[in-house]
Every structure is written in structure tokens, then in C-alpha cells.
Amino acid sequence: MSTTQSDRLRGLLEPLVAAKDLDLEEIEISRAGRRRMLRIVVDSDEGVELDTCAELSREISDRLDESDVMGEDEYVLEVSSPGADRPLSEHRHYVRATGRLVKFQLADGGELIARILGVDEDGMDLEVPGVKGRKATSRRIAFTDVAKARVEIEFNRKDKKEEEA
């Protein structure tokens, strides 16, 4: 996607997304045979409900039909929330992952799996799970020390309501 088209799409779509109290995370255009696929990824601190994606999809479709930003060729529009395995790259992603287990690729080449306890402007406070019956330990990590980060899927994690009971 050309920078000009990307900028025009972002300018056209951001007000619609913001009106739903969502963040426009990603705009991606790809080819699927003769058709193009326009994928819009949105998110919020509370997550995104399916009905909200459907409403936003209709609004985006109408707005795109009114403009020439996609040209005359056919395309398929997909509006979705990010998957659970999406990389954490923005400060708000780390804030939203508070309480979650995250796999960090460190800038020094190391790797760390820890739960995010808190996030500020400079970095994060983490809880590193204990190994072989040992207690968990606390650790502070700066954003500058993180090369990549991704939420780890936990199938047996108790939710907060279960922990409080």
C-alpha cells in the first residue's frame, strides 16, 4: 500500500474509529487473487465486541463508497480486533496486557516470560514465575530493554473473580 493511500485511509477512518472510543491499530491492504483485502484492526482498553466491529464495518464501508481512496477495483473489507497473539509494540498495548503473562525477547538476546504487574512511561514491573516450587520474583524492565513482546495464552489461568472468592 502506498504511503499516500495509507495516509488517506488513516485520515478517513480515524474519526469513525475514534467516535466508537476505539484505537485504529492497523490498516493493511493485501491481494487475494484478483481482489484486494482491506483489513482494519481496532482495539480499546476494554476490548472490542463483535457488534461494535459489525457497526464500524458498515460505517467504514459507507465512507469508503463515498470516497475514491480505494479506487475502482473490487476489495473485501474486514474489521476486527487484534488477535491474542499480536505483538506488543505500543505503550497502550503493554497497559492493556497488565495482569497477563508475556514472553519478552530482550535487546541483549535473552528471553523472559513474566506477568506484567504495572506499566509507567519508562518500563514495567513484572512478576517472574518461580521454577520448581520456588516463589515468584519481582523484576523491573525498561522499554528500551525489550526487542519484542507477545502475550502468552494461558488456558488454565484463574480469572480475578475466582481468585477473590
Side-chain angles (χ1 to χ4, degrees), residues 5 8-9 29 36 64-65 67-75:
Q5 185 180 29
R8 287 183 66 206
L9 278 167
I29 296 181
R36 293 176 296 160
L64 291 172
D65 288 347
S67 79
D68 65 347
V69 72
M70 289 301 293
E72 296 297 318
D73 294 339
E74 290 183 22
Y75 65 92

Side-chain angles (χ1 to χ4, degrees), residues 50-118:
L50 185 58
D51 289 343
T52 304
C53 280
E55 289 171 23
L56 187 58
S57 179
R58 285 189 291 275
E59 291 174 18
I60 288 173
S61 179
D62 290 345
R63 183 68 55 94
L64 291 172
D65 288 347
E66 295 168 359
S67 79
D68 65 347
V69 72
M70 289 301 293
E72 296 297 318
D73 294 339
E74 290 183 22
Y75 65 92
V76 175
L77 173 64
E78 176 186 307
V79 177
S80 65
S81 61
D85 62 344
R86 88 121 177 247
L88 305 178
S89 57
E90 302 286 334
H91 183 269
R92 68 179 176 267
H93 298 164
Y94 291 98
V95 171
R96 290 176 184 154
T98 299
R100 307 285 305 270
L101 197 62
V102 174
K103 183 175 185 177
F104 297 94
Q105 299 292 324
L106 304 177
D108 67 6
E111 190 175 280
L112 173 67
I113 296 178
R115 189 169 309 282
I116 298 177
L117 300 177

